[in-house]
Amino acid sequence: MKSTIYKALSFSAFIFLALTSIASGQITSSTSSRENITPAVLRAQDAVNKVLVDSGSYFKEGMSALKENRRSDSGANFDKSVEIFLYSTLNIQKDQKLQTCYSQLIETVYRIEFPSDAQQPKIRELSASCGWRWSDMDFQLADDVAKLVKQPLSKPTANNTVAAAGVSVLPQQTLVGFNAQEFEPSPLDELSRLELTPEEKQIENSPVAQAQYQYIQYAVANKSLGFSFQVHPMIQQYINYYRGRGRGTMEVGLYRSGMFMRMARRIFKEEGIPENVAWLGQVESAWKPTAMSWAAASGLWQFIPGTGAAYGLRRTAHLDERNSFDEATRASARYLKFLANRYGGNWELAMAGYNCGEGNVDRAIRRAGVANFWAAYPYLPRETRNYVPNILATILIANSPAQYGFGHVRPAPPLQYDRIRVPASTNLALIAQASDTSVQYIRYLNPHLRSNSTPPEPYVINVPPGKSDDVVAVFRRVPASKLNNTNLANSVKGESWQTISNRTGVGVAELIAANPGMKEPKGKIFVPVTGNKVNAISYSRPTTPNTAGTGKSAVVVKAQAGDTVSKVAARHGANPTEVAKYNGLLPNSVLGAGREIKIPSM
């Protein structure tokens, strides 16, 4: 699901008494026990009960949808079940019952989405912790869902190097969460099955291939690529492949590289890795942060969970840093540095180790009797034998695209963003409103976040370029305790508190109290949220000076079958990121034939 894991009553001392008194009690109280409680405490109890009951209601709806294989609906209801806590006016952290229920709810939804033999979702235990009064039918539904997600894991095979290294492999259908479209196939899956044709293997009888092969020898001898490797005909054979039936794959990779290569080169240089080695990312993922292989490797750099964790990439119910931009790129550089040091600076062996693990490379070297990739080649897994010459071919093409027939490919503009640290468990809706964009685009800039909320700790996230000061200014103005109980409204010059009240439904006195020191509305206005208004949260992109209302024109075009936003933008010479934002989509959103897309004038 797009998001799997996911906002104070002002009763002063009464709140504390109320929450303390129910910390270990049931959701409902008997009539006799309520007679001696003050109205304020009763209201506090009722508020806690409402959060728990509403959350449980959405959770049951999520289970029902999942049982009927309506995974998108299931994910949406699980989201709301968690968001009930986030958007409430209660301090979850200070009430033991709320905190326990909330924590177990997050963990349970995560285990439902990504089941494993070791940790199955404990739905009955969750119901008990939250005090949900379920019927026998509800418990039967819970048991059915628990059985549904307990799918057998694929068995390791001798030909699968990742599985052979001891990594549990999930069936494909369990890897994609509640919305399969969020993940894209990794090009490594196709690479593992690739067989070069006789024509692609031909070098001697092709003048063009001969000339290009000589260029490889020159480039290696001249050390113009920043590192050395052994010239081998198979490298030219992969160049032949990309100049023929693999042309589309190379064109897409060269185009998408523009989004991330600048960042990758910078980080690789900082870590002491030859910058051109960063082209490994094109073979790993085609520069798609949401790429996932059948063996559960994920992200731009295709880390499996174990290796990712070893290099500092956390995978929790709140985030999966394998899908991050900067963090995963730095982890990749450090892993490659470790491998290069292990093999005495031999980058071919380091790349091989990145693909199949150093254990497999070590065994191949022992069998070959020499630390040389081409000598160890027969003893390496098939995918790895394809992998290394493929990367070397990609590096050569990327450095001289015109020479290989790719001079027409214009790389996409670099994906730009600012990085800021935000408070724990910050709602992305507030960040989106503060940066004049949508929650969807914030998620696009942070594919490693697994919900519409940041982790329960201060955390660095990406926001649109030039918007970091605006977001930080919001955090400085609003108290931390009210971060997730506040919306923002953009005021217009000449507006009064009354006009803002009319369009937000919040009283003038409440608006003035939420914006102390502001005599008249100016800039972004804090709009307090009262109660569990999950459905009242605006997820649409606010009007900004760069879109509507400024006279900026746009051309309306129709998508063709198989189009994505990026393809449409490229066809019309537009920035795919801007086109995506303008239409409220993602650059990789798949479009139906005939769908109208607006191309903003640049």
Side-chain angles (χ1 to χ4, degrees), residues 108-134:
T108 302
V109 173
Y110 178 59
R111 295 304 169 192
I112 290 174
E113 185 183 10
F114 293 102
S116 69
D117 279 341
Q119 294 176 300
Q120 289 291 317
K122 300 177 180 179
I123 303 177
R124 281 180 173 258
E125 287 85 340
L126 171 67
S127 171
S129 296
C130 296
W132 292 337
R133 296 188 176 279
W134 284 359

Side-chain angles (χ1 to χ4, degrees), residues 545-556:
N546 293 324
T547 55
T550 62
K552 184 173 183 178
S553 60
V555 176
V556 178

